[in-house]
Amino acid sequence: MKITSHETTTLRLPEDDPLANMPEQAGRTRPVVILRLRTDSGIEGIGVTFYGGRMTGSLHTAVDELATLTVGEDPLRIENIIAKLRAGTGDSCGPGGIFTLALSAIDVALWDIKGKALDQPLWKLLGGHRDRVATYASGSLRRGLTDDQAQRAARILVQKGFTEMKTQMALPGNPTPAEELRRVRVVREAIGPDVKLMCDINQRWRPEQAIDIGSRAQDVGLFWLEDVTAADDYPGLARVTAALNTPIAGGEYLWGIVPFRHMIEARSVDIIMIDICRVGGITQWMKVAAMAEAFNLPVVSHVMPEILLHMVAACPNGLTVEYMPWMLALYEETPAIDNGMLVLPEKPGLGLTFDEKAIAAFKA
């Protein structure tokens, strides 16, 4: 089997909130690039990447240019193709930026082809540790909401059967610690004591702020505090992790696999979060997961649950899947949730098919 052609398209997806209908900003969109990688056997693999922002045109071009280099290659030799792509760019762009985002889309499409060629769902090819995996609602309890909106959204998520969900602190403006704590407590009041509640800071605190506010929030019973300070401040993160009983999660902002080694060696976090686009795709995601397992650390996903449930379910240290619904509208069907658990699909590869009507509607 050989790769014969590819097709890339830029889309603008609504950044709405289908889970609780409580968007932080109505009408906001997010640009993404989708890829179709075709073979001479009639199998087509699909991939998605984003984070290009105003450079999404450059990301589209990068996916095109790298995909061209795969034509004529055996799609089952994924590491060989990755090496060719790196060599084709002179590896001058390093582990981060546009190259890695483009590589991710290609890598995902290659694994989709491999699963379809072998007639196996991706989670089984990667290890198949479990056929259901925990998931948490994300994107409905963002910091731009009022307390009342956040409480209403939280109750809706509970009514929909979610047993895990994520909110945010580091509120707009320059809030006092008491104001920060008010938000997370009103959410806890709305959902009760038994729902697992995560809280994302998005790198907006200094280490001493994280220790101060995090220590005051310990009675809230957070499942984790996420990205409490600058992602590459490994000693600062380690200070916070050592000071608090609440587990600290981080890693979504790291590029490639090497920074995860530094994060883990510094004992910076308790829970490793891996972003599929920034790490470079499924191949690199699983390498980080194995690295974390060697240090007795759990791993969690970041966005794109329809793809990442495969990896979290495949590895023994997979903890939970972020159910961020930004991309779900791209597909004809996405994995079901049953009693707060994502059910792994039995269809081969990713088990996903682009919804052509949605693609046409979102085309940039």
Side-chain angles (χ1 to χ4, degrees):
M1 182 168 55
K2 301 294 181 185
I3 298 169
T4 55
S5 64
H6 71 277
E7 180 183 346
T8 52
T9 309
T10 297
L11 310 174
R12 296 201 69 89
L13 299 183
E15 197 176 309
D16 54 11
D17 175 28
L19 298 183
N21 193 28
M22 203 71 67
E24 189 177 39
Q25 180 181 331
R28 189 162 60 188
T29 61
R30 180 176 296 274
V32 305
V33 178
I34 64 169
L35 168 69
R36 306 171 199 254
L37 208 56
R38 301 185 175 106
T39 69
D40 57 4
S41 65
I43 294 174
E44 177 182 278
I46 63 173
V48 181
T49 189
F50 67 122
Y51 299 131
R54 292 184 178 272
M55 293 181 66
T56 298
S58 299
L59 177 56
H60 185 142
T61 298
V63 175
D64 260 334
E65 291 174 340
L66 292 185
T68 298
L69 292 175
T70 70
V71 172
E73 298 293 333
D74 179 349
L76 303 186
R77 297 184 62 192
I78 296 175
E79 288 281 14
N80 176 263
I81 291 175
I82 292 171
K84 180 179 181 179
L85 298 183
R86 286 178 174 154
T89 62
D91 212 15
S92 58
C93 41
I98 295 293
F99 170 82
T100 299
L101 298 180
L103 172 64
S104 175
I106 293 168
D107 186 82
V108 169
L110 291 171
W111 277 101
D112 191 29
I113 291 171
K114 187 169 187 174
K116 290 171 179 174
L118 300 177
D119 197 29
Q120 291 293 320
L122 181 59
W123 60 277
K124 287 186 179 180
L125 288 183
L126 295 174
H129 185 72
R130 58 183 72 82
D131 60 9
R132 291 187 174 213
V133 65
T135 190
Y136 69 92
S138 187
S140 297
L141 303 174
R142 304 183 77 169
R143 59 178 56 86
L145 303 181
T146 65
D147 288 357
D148 181 63
Q149 287 174 321
Q151 282 201 319
R152 282 189 285 131
R155 292 189 184 105
I156 290 170
L157 296 177
V158 172
Q159 291 167 3
K160 288 191 171 183
F162 283 101
T163 58
E164 304 178 7
M165 61 189 66
K166 186 162 71 180
T167 187
Q168 293 177 320
M169 283 195 280
L171 302 178
N174 188 26
T176 65
E179 290 171 328
E180 295 276 26
L181 291 166
R182 186 194 68 246
R183 162 53 61 82
V184 75
R185 285 183 173 138
V186 299
V187 173
R188 173 56 80 192
E189 288 169 6
I191 63 177
D194 298 327
V195 172
K196 292 178 181 176
L197 181 62
M198 299 80 162
C199 187
D200 198 350
I201 311 305
N202 297 107
Q203 306 184 95
R204 299 184 181 204
W205 286 343
R206 300 183 306 279
E208 61 271 21
Q209 281 181 287
I211 293 170
D212 177 29
I213 301 173
S215 63
R216 300 184 194 208
Q218 292 191 143
D219 64 304
V220 178
L222 293 174
F223 194 64
W224 74 57
L225 268 172
E226 179 181 329
D227 291 314
V228 293
T229 194
D232 57 357
D233 182 5
Y234 306 125
L237 283 165
R239 283 172 53 205
V240 179
T241 298
L244 298 181
N245 293 329
T246 301
I248 302 299
E252 72 175 76
Y253 295 103
L254 301 185
W255 295 84
I257 63 175
V258 173
F260 285 95
R261 186 192 79 203
H262 299 314
M263 174 178 274
I264 291 170
E265 287 178 339
R267 303 301 193 271
S268 296
V269 297
D270 301 296
I271 299 166
I272 303 294
M273 178 172 282
I274 318 166
D275 181 273
I276 190 173
C277 295
R278 294 188 183 110
V279 81
I282 293 167
T283 303
Q284 312 308 321
W285 201 102
M286 294 301 294
K287 290 178 182 179
V288 174
M291 192 190 317
E293 183 187 1
F295 283 83
N296 196 30
L297 294 173
V299 294
V300 296
S301 62
H302 181 240
V303 305
M304 290 202 275
E306 66 281 1
I307 293 175
L308 282 151
L309 85 164
H310 289 277
M311 286 91 91
V312 177
C315 57
N317 56 327
L319 182 60
T320 187
V321 174
E322 180 175 32
Y323 200 78
M324 179 68 85
W326 287 341
M327 311 287 182
L328 300 186
L330 285 177
Y331 307 101
E332 292 181 357
E333 182 182 11
T334 54
I337 299 177
D338 181 35
N339 292 322
M341 305 284 284
L342 276 165
V343 181
L344 274 295
E346 289 293 339
K347 294 177 181 178
L350 297 175
L352 298 170
T353 303
F354 283 140
D355 183 331
E356 299 301 336
K357 292 182 179 178
I359 299 301
F362 300 142
K363 191 171 181 179

